[in-house]
């Protein structure tokens, strides 16, 4: 497919064309010319979109899909299509299927199912067998099969020695350990943040300490072992401070925050709406502000949608019984664009490629064409018809967003919203 993207404003701080409106010529998946008024040719299709902006392709570092085992929630094929239409050229797939992706064959399976898609799937292998926290999984074999990191989704490794061994083991092949932070004993039976709101609603609370204590422990382990650690979806002010201090020491630690933790607080729980039941729980306004500061000062490396499709039978329950999770692809950009500068959004949607050891292609002549197409302007209300996922459990339903992703060009394929 040969294309000319007309009148596109490039958002790429490393490009000499940053913030300039130009035409981009793509031949056989390679950018061959960037300039003004590139003439159309017979073998080229012209792409012209209102207020078109283009950046390096966005990467979502935490995505759950149903397949294998829970295809009623989401399939890999549809999930990748939704990701593409939401602006993501790359996603990291959590090992949340049935069976859990804890072996070479499991990694090979999800990669086969993603073949031919415009959005590239990068599997995360389970850190422990069955994500049960008892025995280290076959990380080296999974790495050879294509796994980009190792972690047990939303499960914290309670055995400190097991995490120590994992951090030491992956250094032989430059592996990345994902260490979700939550002390299960302190969490107990909590379902929301412990504070004024949980007391008012009569719901069992999860103290911020449950996250912070585990992060402190994990950082001590990292300081002892060396290696690389990624702490996903942090949610408290003290967590930001702990990671900032660790980075100042020179530890090789990175972290992410979710879109919904940057936009929402536990005050939205007043109606016991399980769409807002997520892990970690939504925290206070004070926490949200520090998370935002952490994004702006670089302490927080990645923003993720933490996309987790769940069918109605898992969410339309009493709040205590409902499963944690929200879909996030479709609303991610529009929600963040109401809060953050555009350049920061693009930066945080790209940083994970370097952290996870993936290619990050510049928008320059001679480079592979892998980019996101979007319009940063225009306010609109996000409704159920805008949810392309099979499951509809969105924490942003009926909220005002700003700007939309048009789609992507990646792997030689152009995917646009109709």
């Amino acid at each position: 497919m040969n294309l000319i993207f007309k009148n596109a404003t490039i958002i790429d701080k490393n490009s000499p064309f940053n913030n300039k409106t130009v035409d981009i010529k793509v031949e056989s998946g390679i950018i061959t010319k960037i300039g003004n008024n590139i003439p159309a040719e017979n073998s080229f299709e012209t792409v012209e979109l209102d207020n078109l902006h283009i950046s390096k392709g966005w990467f979502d570092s935490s995505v759950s899909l149903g397949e294998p085992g829970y295809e009623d929630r989401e399939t890999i094929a549809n999930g990748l299509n939704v990701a593409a239409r939401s602006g993501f050229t790359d996603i990291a797939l959590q090992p949340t299927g049935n069976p859990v992706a804890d072996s070479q064959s499991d990694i090979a399976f999800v990669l086969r199912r993603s073949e031919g898609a415009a959005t590239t799937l990068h599997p995360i292998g389970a850190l422990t067998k069955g994500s049960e926290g008892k025995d280290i999984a076959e990380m080296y074999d999974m790495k050879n099969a294509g796994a980009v990191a190792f972690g047990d989704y939303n499960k914290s490794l309670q055995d400190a020695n097991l995490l120590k061994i994992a951090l030491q083991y992956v250094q032989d092949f430059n592996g990345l350990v994902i260490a979700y932070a939550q002390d299960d004993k302190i969490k107990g039976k909590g379902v929301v943040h412990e504070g004024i709101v949980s007391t008012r609603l009569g719901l069992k609370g999860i103290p911020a300490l449950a996250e912070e204590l585990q992060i402190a422990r994990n950082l001590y382990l990292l300081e002892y072992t060396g290696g690389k650690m990624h702490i996903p979806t942090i949610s408290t002010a003290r967590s930001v401070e702990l990671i900032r201090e660790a980075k100042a020491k020179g530890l090789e630690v990175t972290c992410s925050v979710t879109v919904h933790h940057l936009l929402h607080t536990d005050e939205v729980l007043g109606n016991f709406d399980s769409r807002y039941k997520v892990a970690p729980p939504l925290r206070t306004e004070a926490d949200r502000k520090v998370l935002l500061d952490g994004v702006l000062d670089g302490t927080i490396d990645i923003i993720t949608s933490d996309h987790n499709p769940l069918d109605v039978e898992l969410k339309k329950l009493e709040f205590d019984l409902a499963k944690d999770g929200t879909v996030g692809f479709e609303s991610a950009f529009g929600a963040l664009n109401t809060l953050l500068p555009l350049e920061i959004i693009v930066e945080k949607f790209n940083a994970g490629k370097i952290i996870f050891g993936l290619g990050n292609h510049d928008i320059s002549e001679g480079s592979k064409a892998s980019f996101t197409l979007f319009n940063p302007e225009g306010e609109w209300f996000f409704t159920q018809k805008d949810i392309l996922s099979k499951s509809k459990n969105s924490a942003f339903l009926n909220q005002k967003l700003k700007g939309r992703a048009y789609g992507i060009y990646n792997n030689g394929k152009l995917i646009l919203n109709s």
Side-chain angles (χ1 to χ4, degrees):
M1 177 181 286
N2 295 329
L3 300 168
I4 298 176
F5 295 89
K6 301 292 290 184
N7 299 317
T9 301
I10 293 177
I11 305 298
D12 179 2
K13 64 181 182 181
N14 296 321
S15 170
F17 299 99
N18 186 37
N19 285 319
K20 294 181 179 179
T21 301
V22 293
D23 296 347
I24 304 174
K25 186 177 184 180
V26 176
E27 297 181 72
S28 302
I30 302 296
I31 300 172
T32 56
K33 187 172 179 59
I34 299 175
N36 295 313
N37 302 314
I38 297 176
E41 300 178 27
N42 290 337
S43 61
F44 283 75
E45 180 182 340
T46 299
V47 178
E48 295 186 78
L49 297 166
D50 183 48
N51 195 30
L52 175 61
H53 285 59
I54 285 179
S55 73
K56 290 187 281 192
W58 301 343
F59 169 68
D60 197 330
S61 64
S62 180
V63 173
S64 298
L65 301 174
E67 190 175 3
Y70 305 111
E71 287 82 358
D72 53 327
R73 302 178 193 174
E74 187 59 281
T75 62
I76 288 174
N78 189 63
L80 292 176
N81 182 54
V82 177
R85 293 178 186 277
S86 303
F88 294 97
T89 59
D90 297 80
I91 65 166
L93 181 67
Q94 295 284 0
T96 52
N98 185 16
V100 168
D102 63 1
S103 70
Q104 187 174 18
S105 60
D106 295 323
I107 299 299
F109 172 81
V110 295
L111 286 173
R112 282 197 304 272
R113 298 293 289 170
S114 69
E115 287 176 357
T119 294
T120 304
L121 183 152
H122 306 278
I124 297 171
L127 185 63
T128 62
K129 292 180 180 178
S131 287
E132 294 176 350
K134 296 178 181 178
D135 300 293
I136 295 294
E138 302 168 4
M139 291 188 287
Y140 182 67
D141 287 347
M142 287 190 284
K143 174 77 171 180
N144 288 337
V148 295
F150 308 95
D152 297 332
Y153 180 65
N154 281 2
K155 293 181 179 180
S156 189
L157 198 51
Q158 303 302 306
D159 186 335
N161 189 56
L162 210 58
L163 181 58
K164 175 180 74 73
I165 292 169
L167 284 165
Q168 291 171 327
Y169 179 71
V170 298
Q171 291 179 53
D172 288 340
F173 52 89
N174 198 31
L176 176 65
V177 169
I178 300 175
Y180 181 75
Q182 179 175 266
D183 187 297
D184 290 345
K185 294 294 185 182
I186 292 178
K187 173 183 180 289
K189 295 182 179 179
V191 292
V192 297
H193 172 68
E194 182 183 81
I196 294 172
V197 173
S198 66
T199 302
R200 186 170 71 234
L201 298 178
L203 294 170
K204 289 185 174 64
I206 304 172
L209 180 67
E211 175 174 306
E212 296 157 2
L213 191 64
Q214 200 78 348
I215 285 179
R217 185 206 74 171
N218 292 350
L219 291 173
Y220 272 119
L221 288 170
L222 179 64
E223 188 171 8
Y224 176 81
T225 61
K228 296 189 298 185
M229 177 187 290
H230 178 69
I231 302 175
T233 61
I234 64 172
S235 66
T236 81
R238 181 61 181 144
S239 295
V240 176
E241 293 170 5
L242 288 166
I243 292 167
R244 185 180 290 124
E245 292 165 4
K247 287 187 171 188
K249 286 182 179 180
L251 298 186
E252 211 167 338
V253 59
T254 56
C255 65
S256 69
V257 68
T258 74
V259 177
H260 42 275
H261 281 94
L262 290 175
L263 272 294
H264 292 322
T265 71
D266 57 354
E267 291 290 343
V268 300
L269 300 172
N271 294 323
F272 298 92
D273 191 335
S274 63
R275 290 185 298 114
Y276 300 114
K277 190 178 184 211
V278 292
L282 298 173
R283 304 287 186 180
T284 67
E285 176 64 8
D287 290 306
R288 189 193 71 82
K289 287 180 177 178
V290 175
L291 290 170
L292 185 58
D293 289 341
V295 168
L296 295 173
D297 71 17
T299 301
I300 296 175
D301 305 274
I302 298 172
I303 300 176
T304 174
S305 75
D306 201 24
H307 182 78
N308 189 5
L310 300 169
D311 56 53
V312 66
E313 288 81 5
L314 296 171
K315 293 298 275 187
K316 282 287 186 180
L317 299 168
E318 293 178 28
F319 196 92
D320 284 7
L321 301 177
K323 190 173 176 64
D324 298 319
T326 175
V327 292
F329 279 153
E330 302 96 322
S331 56
F333 173 67
L336 286 175
N337 200 34
T338 66
L339 180 69
L340 289 168
L342 180 59
E343 291 78 9
I344 296 292
I345 298 171
V346 170
E347 176 189 336
K348 300 303 178 181
F349 276 173
N350 262 279
K353 291 181 182 177
I354 304 302
I355 292 166
F356 282 70
L358 314 177
N360 196 14
H361 304 284
D362 292 331
I363 301 177
S364 60
E365 293 179 359
S367 293
K368 177 185 174 182
S370 174
F371 37 67
T372 297
L373 292 70
F374 59 97
N375 180 355
E377 300 300 328
E379 293 185 338
W380 57 290
F381 280 93
F382 185 70
T383 64
Q384 188 155 319
K385 69 178 177 60
D386 298 303
I387 301 176
L388 306 175
S389 304
K390 290 181 69 176
S391 298
K392 309 301 178 184
N393 54 305
S394 172
F396 288 96
L397 201 61
N398 300 320
Q399 295 187 23
K400 184 184 287 186
L401 308 183
K402 180 186 175 186
R404 291 178 184 261
Y406 282 127
I408 63 170
Y409 181 85
N410 191 47
N411 294 333
K413 300 178 186 297
L414 177 67
I415 303 293
L416 295 176
N417 283 307
S418 54

PDB file of all heavy atoms in Angstrom, residues 283-311:
ATOM      1  N   ARG A 283      -8.000   6.395  44.263  1.00  0.00           N
ATOM      2  CA  ARG A 283      -7.569   6.981  45.533  1.00  0.00           C
ATOM      3  C   ARG A 283      -8.160   8.386  45.705  1.00  0.00           C
ATOM      4  O   ARG A 283      -9.175   8.712  45.115  1.00  0.00           O
ATOM      5  CB  ARG A 283      -6.036   7.022  45.581  1.00  0.00           C
ATOM      6  CG  ARG A 283      -5.357   5.668  45.375  1.00  0.00           C
ATOM      7  CD  ARG A 283      -5.498   4.749  46.567  1.00  0.00           C
ATOM      8  NE  ARG A 283      -4.715   3.515  46.396  1.00  0.00           N
ATOM      9  CZ  ARG A 283      -4.660   2.543  47.284  1.00  0.00           C
ATOM     10  NH1 ARG A 283      -5.323   2.633  48.413  1.00  0.00           N
ATOM     11  NH2 ARG A 283      -3.919   1.457  47.048  1.00  0.00           N
ATOM     12  N   THR A 284      -7.499   9.221  46.475  1.00  0.00           N
ATOM     13  CA  THR A 284      -8.017  10.543  46.815  1.00  0.00           C
ATOM     14  C   THR A 284      -7.565  11.598  45.811  1.00  0.00           C
ATOM     15  O   THR A 284      -6.690  11.354  44.975  1.00  0.00           O
ATOM     16  CB  THR A 284      -7.531  10.965  48.209  1.00  0.00           C
ATOM     17  OG1 THR A 284      -6.095  11.153  48.153  1.00  0.00           O
ATOM     18  CG2 THR A 284      -7.861   9.905  49.255  1.00  0.00           C
ATOM     19  N   GLU A 285      -8.150  12.789  45.927  1.00  0.00           N
ATOM     20  CA  GLU A 285      -7.738  13.902  45.077  1.00  0.00           C
ATOM     21  C   GLU A 285      -6.280  14.276  45.334  1.00  0.00           C
ATOM     22  O   GLU A 285      -5.547  14.618  44.404  1.00  0.00           O
ATOM     23  CB  GLU A 285      -8.649  15.107  45.323  1.00  0.00           C
ATOM     24  CG  GLU A 285      -8.271  16.364  44.561  1.00  0.00           C
ATOM     25  CD  GLU A 285      -8.382  16.241  43.038  1.00  0.00           C
ATOM     26  OE1 GLU A 285      -8.906  15.211  42.544  1.00  0.00           O
ATOM     27  OE2 GLU A 285      -7.940  17.182  42.347  1.00  0.00           O
ATOM     28  N   ALA A 286      -5.846  14.191  46.588  1.00  0.00           N
ATOM     29  CA  ALA A 286      -4.441  14.486  46.899  1.00  0.00           C
ATOM     30  C   ALA A 286      -3.509  13.512  46.189  1.00  0.00           C
ATOM     31  O   ALA A 286      -2.464  13.913  45.649  1.00  0.00           O
ATOM     32  CB  ALA A 286      -4.220  14.428  48.409  1.00  0.00           C
ATOM     33  N   ASP A 287      -3.868  12.221  46.177  1.00  0.00           N
ATOM     34  CA  ASP A 287      -3.066  11.231  45.447  1.00  0.00           C
ATOM     35  C   ASP A 287      -3.069  11.539  43.955  1.00  0.00           C
ATOM     36  O   ASP A 287      -2.026  11.484  43.292  1.00  0.00           O
ATOM     37  CB  ASP A 287      -3.626   9.823  45.678  1.00  0.00           C
ATOM     38  CG  ASP A 287      -3.403   9.322  47.091  1.00  0.00           C
ATOM     39  OD1 ASP A 287      -2.250   9.333  47.542  1.00  0.00           O
ATOM     40  OD2 ASP A 287      -4.383   8.920  47.744  1.00  0.00           O
ATOM     41  N   ARG A 288      -4.242  11.852  43.407  1.00  0.00           N
ATOM     42  CA  ARG A 288      -4.362  12.112  41.972  1.00  0.00           C
ATOM     43  C   ARG A 288      -3.451  13.268  41.556  1.00  0.00           C
ATOM     44  O   ARG A 288      -2.774  13.199  40.515  1.00  0.00           O
ATOM     45  CB  ARG A 288      -5.814  12.425  41.613  1.00  0.00           C
ATOM     46  CG  ARG A 288      -6.089  12.493  40.106  1.00  0.00           C
ATOM     47  CD  ARG A 288      -7.442  13.096  39.803  1.00  0.00           C
ATOM     48  NE  ARG A 288      -7.448  14.531  40.079  1.00  0.00           N
ATOM     49  CZ  ARG A 288      -6.978  15.459  39.238  1.00  0.00           C
ATOM     50  NH1 ARG A 288      -6.462  15.107  38.065  1.00  0.00           N
ATOM     51  NH2 ARG A 288      -7.033  16.739  39.549  1.00  0.00           N
ATOM     52  N   LYS A 289      -3.406  14.305  42.359  1.00  0.00           N
ATOM     53  CA  LYS A 289      -2.571  15.463  42.018  1.00  0.00           C
ATOM     54  C   LYS A 289      -1.088  15.107  42.022  1.00  0.00           C
ATOM     55  O   LYS A 289      -0.330  15.574  41.160  1.00  0.00           O
ATOM     56  CB  LYS A 289      -2.848  16.606  42.992  1.00  0.00           C
ATOM     57  CG  LYS A 289      -4.195  17.288  42.768  1.00  0.00           C
ATOM     58  CD  LYS A 289      -4.410  18.420  43.762  1.00  0.00           C
ATOM     59  CE  LYS A 289      -5.717  19.142  43.490  1.00  0.00           C
ATOM     60  NZ  LYS A 289      -5.959  20.228  44.496  1.00  0.00           N
ATOM     61  N   VAL A 290      -0.667  14.286  42.973  1.00  0.00           N
ATOM     62  CA  VAL A 290       0.752  13.887  43.008  1.00  0.00           C
ATOM     63  C   VAL A 290       1.072  12.958  41.839  1.00  0.00           C
ATOM     64  O   VAL A 290       2.166  13.031  41.264  1.00  0.00           O
ATOM     65  CB  VAL A 290       1.096  13.234  44.361  1.00  0.00           C
ATOM     66  CG1 VAL A 290       2.536  12.717  44.363  1.00  0.00           C
ATOM     67  CG2 VAL A 290       0.907  14.229  45.509  1.00  0.00           C
ATOM     68  N   LEU A 291       0.144  12.075  41.476  1.00  0.00           N
ATOM     69  CA  LEU A 291       0.339  11.238  40.287  1.00  0.00           C
ATOM     70  C   LEU A 291       0.520  12.115  39.054  1.00  0.00           C
ATOM     71  O   LEU A 291       1.405  11.868  38.213  1.00  0.00           O
ATOM     72  CB  LEU A 291      -0.850  10.303  40.090  1.00  0.00           C
ATOM     73  CG  LEU A 291      -1.024   9.171  41.094  1.00  0.00           C
ATOM     74  CD1 LEU A 291      -2.377   8.486  40.893  1.00  0.00           C
ATOM     75  CD2 LEU A 291       0.094   8.132  40.991  1.00  0.00           C
ATOM     76  N   LEU A 292      -0.297  13.151  38.944  1.00  0.00           N
ATOM     77  CA  LEU A 292      -0.190  14.064  37.810  1.00  0.00           C
ATOM     78  C   LEU A 292       1.165  14.771  37.809  1.00  0.00           C
ATOM     79  O   LEU A 292       1.822  14.886  36.764  1.00  0.00           O
ATOM     80  CB  LEU A 292      -1.332  15.081  37.870  1.00  0.00           C
ATOM     81  CG  LEU A 292      -1.458  16.054  36.703  1.00  0.00           C
ATOM     82  CD1 LEU A 292      -1.631  15.311  35.381  1.00  0.00           C
ATOM     83  CD2 LEU A 292      -2.632  16.991  36.933  1.00  0.00           C
ATOM     84  N   ASP A 293       1.601  15.217  38.978  1.00  0.00           N
ATOM     85  CA  ASP A 293       2.933  15.830  39.076  1.00  0.00           C
ATOM     86  C   ASP A 293       4.023  14.837  38.664  1.00  0.00           C
ATOM     87  O   ASP A 293       5.001  15.223  38.014  1.00  0.00           O
ATOM     88  CB  ASP A 293       3.196  16.294  40.513  1.00  0.00           C
ATOM     89  CG  ASP A 293       2.364  17.506  40.907  1.00  0.00           C
ATOM     90  OD1 ASP A 293       1.863  18.203  40.004  1.00  0.00           O
ATOM     91  OD2 ASP A 293       2.200  17.745  42.122  1.00  0.00           O
ATOM     92  N   GLY A 294       3.853  13.574  39.044  1.00  0.00           N
ATOM     93  CA  GLY A 294       4.824  12.547  38.686  1.00  0.00           C
ATOM     94  C   GLY A 294       4.913  12.321  37.190  1.00  0.00           C
ATOM     95  O   GLY A 294       5.993  12.046  36.651  1.00  0.00           O
ATOM     96  N   VAL A 295       3.782  12.446  36.506  1.00  0.00           N
ATOM     97  CA  VAL A 295       3.782  12.359  35.044  1.00  0.00           C
ATOM     98  C   VAL A 295       4.549  13.534  34.452  1.00  0.00           C
ATOM     99  O   VAL A 295       5.396  13.379  33.563  1.00  0.00           O
ATOM    100  CB  VAL A 295       2.335  12.329  34.504  1.00  0.00           C
ATOM    101  CG1 VAL A 295       2.317  12.549  32.990  1.00  0.00           C
ATOM    102  CG2 VAL A 295       1.659  11.009  34.840  1.00  0.00           C
ATOM    103  N   LEU A 296       4.270  14.723  34.959  1.00  0.00           N
ATOM    104  CA  LEU A 296       4.848  15.934  34.384  1.00  0.00           C
ATOM    105  C   LEU A 296       6.344  16.055  34.651  1.00  0.00           C
ATOM    106  O   LEU A 296       7.084  16.589  33.807  1.00  0.00           O
ATOM    107  CB  LEU A 296       4.117  17.165  34.924  1.00  0.00           C
ATOM    108  CG  LEU A 296       2.640  17.281  34.516  1.00  0.00           C
ATOM    109  CD1 LEU A 296       1.971  18.433  35.243  1.00  0.00           C
ATOM    110  CD2 LEU A 296       2.501  17.454  33.007  1.00  0.00           C
ATOM    111  N   ASP A 297       6.815  15.564  35.811  1.00  0.00           N
ATOM    112  CA  ASP A 297       8.254  15.704  36.107  1.00  0.00           C
ATOM    113  C   ASP A 297       9.074  14.496  35.678  1.00  0.00           C
ATOM    114  O   ASP A 297      10.292  14.462  35.879  1.00  0.00           O
ATOM    115  CB  ASP A 297       8.478  16.029  37.586  1.00  0.00           C
ATOM    116  CG  ASP A 297       8.196  14.867  38.540  1.00  0.00           C
ATOM    117  OD1 ASP A 297       8.129  13.703  38.096  1.00  0.00           O
ATOM    118  OD2 ASP A 297       8.046  15.120  39.760  1.00  0.00           O
ATOM    119  N   GLY A 298       8.431  13.488  35.078  1.00  0.00           N
ATOM    120  CA  GLY A 298       9.170  12.352  34.535  1.00  0.00           C
ATOM    121  C   GLY A 298       9.347  11.188  35.485  1.00  0.00           C
ATOM    122  O   GLY A 298       9.906  10.152  35.093  1.00  0.00           O
ATOM    123  N   THR A 299       8.886  11.302  36.719  1.00  0.00           N
ATOM    124  CA  THR A 299       8.984  10.173  37.644  1.00  0.00           C
ATOM    125  C   THR A 299       8.172   8.993  37.128  1.00  0.00           C
ATOM    126  O   THR A 299       8.613   7.842  37.180  1.00  0.00           O
ATOM    127  CB  THR A 299       8.480  10.576  39.051  1.00  0.00           C
ATOM    128  OG1 THR A 299       9.263  11.673  39.522  1.00  0.00           O
ATOM    129  CG2 THR A 299       8.586   9.418  40.021  1.00  0.00           C
ATOM    130  N   ILE A 300       6.977   9.277  36.631  1.00  0.00           N
ATOM    131  CA  ILE A 300       6.129   8.247  36.027  1.00  0.00           C
ATOM    132  C   ILE A 300       6.436   8.201  34.541  1.00  0.00           C
ATOM    133  O   ILE A 300       6.290   9.197  33.826  1.00  0.00           O
ATOM    134  CB  ILE A 300       4.642   8.526  36.291  1.00  0.00           C
ATOM    135  CG1 ILE A 300       4.361   8.459  37.797  1.00  0.00           C
ATOM    136  CG2 ILE A 300       3.759   7.530  35.535  1.00  0.00           C
ATOM    137  CD1 ILE A 300       2.940   8.826  38.192  1.00  0.00           C
ATOM    138  N   ASP A 301       6.853   7.041  34.077  1.00  0.00           N
ATOM    139  CA  ASP A 301       7.352   6.902  32.700  1.00  0.00           C
ATOM    140  C   ASP A 301       6.254   6.687  31.669  1.00  0.00           C
ATOM    141  O   ASP A 301       6.366   7.162  30.541  1.00  0.00           O
ATOM    142  CB  ASP A 301       8.325   5.712  32.633  1.00  0.00           C
ATOM    143  CG  ASP A 301       9.448   5.824  33.632  1.00  0.00           C
ATOM    144  OD1 ASP A 301      10.455   6.474  33.309  1.00  0.00           O
ATOM    145  OD2 ASP A 301       9.321   5.282  34.751  1.00  0.00           O
ATOM    146  N   ILE A 302       5.234   5.923  32.049  1.00  0.00           N
ATOM    147  CA  ILE A 302       4.244   5.427  31.088  1.00  0.00           C
ATOM    148  C   ILE A 302       2.842   5.734  31.583  1.00  0.00           C
ATOM    149  O   ILE A 302       2.561   5.635  32.782  1.00  0.00           O
ATOM    150  CB  ILE A 302       4.377   3.899  30.910  1.00  0.00           C
ATOM    151  CG1 ILE A 302       5.743   3.516  30.345  1.00  0.00           C
ATOM    152  CG2 ILE A 302       3.278   3.342  30.031  1.00  0.00           C
ATOM    153  CD1 ILE A 302       5.993   2.011  30.340  1.00  0.00           C
ATOM    154  N   ILE A 303       1.953   6.069  30.660  1.00  0.00           N
ATOM    155  CA  ILE A 303       0.519   6.076  30.943  1.00  0.00           C
ATOM    156  C   ILE A 303      -0.091   4.915  30.169  1.00  0.00           C
ATOM    157  O   ILE A 303       0.147   4.757  28.974  1.00  0.00           O
ATOM    158  CB  ILE A 303      -0.152   7.385  30.540  1.00  0.00           C
ATOM    159  CG1 ILE A 303       0.461   8.566  31.307  1.00  0.00           C
ATOM    160  CG2 ILE A 303      -1.654   7.322  30.808  1.00  0.00           C
ATOM    161  CD1 ILE A 303      -0.076   9.924  30.890  1.00  0.00           C
ATOM    162  N   THR A 304      -0.882   4.102  30.866  1.00  0.00           N
ATOM    163  CA  THR A 304      -1.532   2.943  30.251  1.00  0.00           C
ATOM    164  C   THR A 304      -3.041   3.030  30.412  1.00  0.00           C
ATOM    165  O   THR A 304      -3.541   3.618  31.380  1.00  0.00           O
ATOM    166  CB  THR A 304      -1.031   1.629  30.890  1.00  0.00           C
ATOM    167  OG1 THR A 304      -1.784   0.526  30.364  1.00  0.00           O
ATOM    168  CG2 THR A 304      -1.195   1.640  32.400  1.00  0.00           C
ATOM    169  N   SER A 305      -3.756   2.437  29.476  1.00  0.00           N
ATOM    170  CA  SER A 305      -5.210   2.332  29.638  1.00  0.00           C
ATOM    171  C   SER A 305      -5.577   1.227  30.623  1.00  0.00           C
ATOM    172  O   SER A 305      -6.666   1.219  31.174  1.00  0.00           O
ATOM    173  CB  SER A 305      -5.872   2.036  28.286  1.00  0.00           C
ATOM    174  OG  SER A 305      -5.659   0.679  27.899  1.00  0.00           O
ATOM    175  N   ASP A 306      -4.646   0.278  30.841  1.00  0.00           N
ATOM    176  CA  ASP A 306      -4.920  -0.938  31.625  1.00  0.00           C
ATOM    177  C   ASP A 306      -6.222  -1.576  31.156  1.00  0.00           C
ATOM    178  O   ASP A 306      -7.080  -1.972  31.952  1.00  0.00           O
ATOM    179  CB  ASP A 306      -4.963  -0.629  33.124  1.00  0.00           C
ATOM    180  CG  ASP A 306      -4.736  -1.869  33.983  1.00  0.00           C
ATOM    181  OD1 ASP A 306      -4.122  -2.833  33.486  1.00  0.00           O
ATOM    182  OD2 ASP A 306      -5.188  -1.876  35.145  1.00  0.00           O
ATOM    183  N   HIS A 307      -6.354  -1.686  29.851  1.00  0.00           N
ATOM    184  CA  HIS A 307      -7.557  -2.192  29.189  1.00  0.00           C
ATOM    185  C   HIS A 307      -7.875  -3.607  29.652  1.00  0.00           C
ATOM    186  O   HIS A 307      -7.047  -4.515  29.510  1.00  0.00           O
ATOM    187  CB  HIS A 307      -7.309  -2.179  27.671  1.00  0.00           C
ATOM    188  CG  HIS A 307      -8.461  -2.620  26.835  1.00  0.00           C
ATOM    189  ND1 HIS A 307      -9.538  -1.809  26.564  1.00  0.00           N
ATOM    190  CD2 HIS A 307      -8.695  -3.789  26.185  1.00  0.00           C
ATOM    191  CE1 HIS A 307     -10.390  -2.453  25.776  1.00  0.00           C
ATOM    192  NE2 HIS A 307      -9.900  -3.666  25.531  1.00  0.00           N
ATOM    193  N   ASN A 308      -9.051  -3.799  30.225  1.00  0.00           N
ATOM    194  CA  ASN A 308      -9.418  -5.104  30.793  1.00  0.00           C
ATOM    195  C   ASN A 308     -10.904  -5.371  30.550  1.00  0.00           C
ATOM    196  O   ASN A 308     -11.750  -5.034  31.390  1.00  0.00           O
ATOM    197  CB  ASN A 308      -9.094  -5.130  32.289  1.00  0.00           C
ATOM    198  CG  ASN A 308      -9.249  -6.516  32.899  1.00  0.00           C
ATOM    199  OD1 ASN A 308      -9.510  -7.495  32.203  1.00  0.00           O
ATOM    200  ND2 ASN A 308      -9.103  -6.606  34.206  1.00  0.00           N
ATOM    201  N   PRO A 309     -11.250  -5.970  29.404  1.00  0.00           N
ATOM    202  CA  PRO A 309     -12.657  -6.220  29.091  1.00  0.00           C
ATOM    203  C   PRO A 309     -13.250  -7.302  29.999  1.00  0.00           C
ATOM    204  O   PRO A 309     -12.677  -8.376  30.167  1.00  0.00           O
ATOM    205  CB  PRO A 309     -12.612  -6.708  27.633  1.00  0.00           C
ATOM    206  CG  PRO A 309     -11.234  -6.422  27.139  1.00  0.00           C
ATOM    207  CD  PRO A 309     -10.347  -6.415  28.337  1.00  0.00           C
ATOM    208  N   LEU A 310     -14.415  -6.997  30.559  1.00  0.00           N
ATOM    209  CA  LEU A 310     -15.127  -7.942  31.423  1.00  0.00           C
ATOM    210  C   LEU A 310     -16.596  -7.937  31.042  1.00  0.00           C
ATOM    211  O   LEU A 310     -17.194  -6.860  30.881  1.00  0.00           O
ATOM    212  CB  LEU A 310     -14.968  -7.542  32.898  1.00  0.00           C
ATOM    213  CG  LEU A 310     -13.533  -7.505  33.439  1.00  0.00           C
ATOM    214  CD1 LEU A 310     -13.491  -6.835  34.803  1.00  0.00           C
ATOM    215  CD2 LEU A 310     -12.955  -8.911  33.518  1.00  0.00           C
ATOM    216  N   ASP A 311     -17.161  -9.127  30.913  1.00  0.00           N
ATOM    217  CA  ASP A 311     -18.560  -9.184  30.501  1.00  0.00           C
ATOM    218  C   ASP A 311     -19.489  -8.767  31.637  1.00  0.00           C
ATOM    219  O   ASP A 311     -19.098  -8.648  32.790  1.00  0.00           O
ATOM    220  CB  ASP A 311     -18.919 -10.577  29.971  1.00  0.00           C
ATOM    221  CG  ASP A 311     -18.632 -11.671  30.976  1.00  0.00           C
ATOM    222  OD1 ASP A 311     -19.102 -11.573  32.122  1.00  0.00           O
ATOM    223  OD2 ASP A 311     -17.927 -12.629  30.617  1.00  0.00           O
TER     224      ASP A 311
END
